[in-house]
Amino acid sequence: MFRRNGNQCVATFAIDEVRVLRKVAGEVVGLLMDGFDHTDPVVGRLFPDIYPERPDDSAEFRLYTEGDLKTGKIDQAGAILAALPDDGPGEVRLDGEEAEAWLRAINDARLAMGTRLDIQGDTDLGDELDEAVVRDPASSRVFQLSVYAYLGYLQESLLNALPEIEERA
């Protein structure tokens, strides 16, 4: 996973990892661009109401901020797509700013996946994955939980590499 190399975070990805990261980042972009539906729980998770008890105030706040927030999230997912190898395995090198964009994009992807998979704060991901494997080892849930776990591991490795970069800047 990610490690520090000088003032960069560096990782080498296998072709399957590149494909998964491209798919996940592309899905986040698609969610934010195609039929942006505020009734979708994932959209609600990525753009929570700032004033849950005052829907009119939340709507007004959203009117002034949502476009920039949405553009930022699309750009962050785009940073993942731009840094990944075009075809096949390869190395990714991120400076501090790029690494932070990746972290925000991975976080958005995990929030989206966690909402769809009904992952709660107290969910034991290992137990959830074990139960899904017992029920049907070839299910899409097993794959999705595995991707969710992988993104967490990737995020943690990038977080661990990033502070060392920031100290040198």
Side-chain angles (χ1 to χ4, degrees), residues 12-166:
T12 302
F13 293 104
I15 191 165
D16 289 339
E17 292 172 301
V18 171
R19 287 179 182 149
V20 165
L21 288 170
R22 282 195 173 285
K23 179 155 180 55
V24 167
E27 287 178 358
V28 168
V29 170
L31 172 73
L32 297 174
M33 294 182 70
D34 302 335
F36 193 67
D37 179 5
H38 285 282
T39 63
D40 182 338
V42 171
V43 173
R45 184 71 172 109
L46 293 175
F47 298 91
D49 282 336
I50 191 76
Y51 307 111
E53 303 301 318
R54 300 188 330 246
D56 290 343
D57 291 340
S58 281
E60 184 176 355
F61 182 80
R62 189 179 308 116
L63 178 69
Y64 294 111
T65 61
E66 186 173 85
D68 288 342
L69 290 172
K70 192 162 99 169
T71 298
K73 290 178 181 299
I74 291 168
D75 289 348
Q76 291 155 12
I80 290 178
L81 295 170
L84 288 170
D86 289 331
D87 51 2
E91 186 175 79
V92 169
R93 294 181 164 273
L94 306 174
D95 63 23
E97 187 176 320
E98 292 165 325
E100 289 192 20
W102 270 59
L103 286 171
R104 288 189 294 272
I106 292 169
N107 188 62
D108 286 344
R110 292 191 79 228
L111 285 172
M113 290 186 78
T115 301
R116 292 275 190 251
L117 293 167
D118 196 28
I119 303 289
Q120 304 296 316
D122 62 349
T123 299
D124 183 314
L125 192 55
D127 289 347
E128 191 75 21
L129 188 53
D130 288 345
E131 288 174 24
V133 168
V134 167
R135 271 186 252 122
D136 181 2
S139 72
S140 63
R141 183 165 179 82
V142 170
F143 178 74
Q144 292 166 349
L145 287 167
S146 297
V147 170
Y148 181 85
Y150 168 76
L151 291 174
Y153 178 62
L154 181 66
Q155 187 176 36
E156 183 178 359
S157 75
L158 186 50
L159 277 169
N160 289 335
L162 189 61
E164 296 177 34
I165 289 173
E166 295 299 319

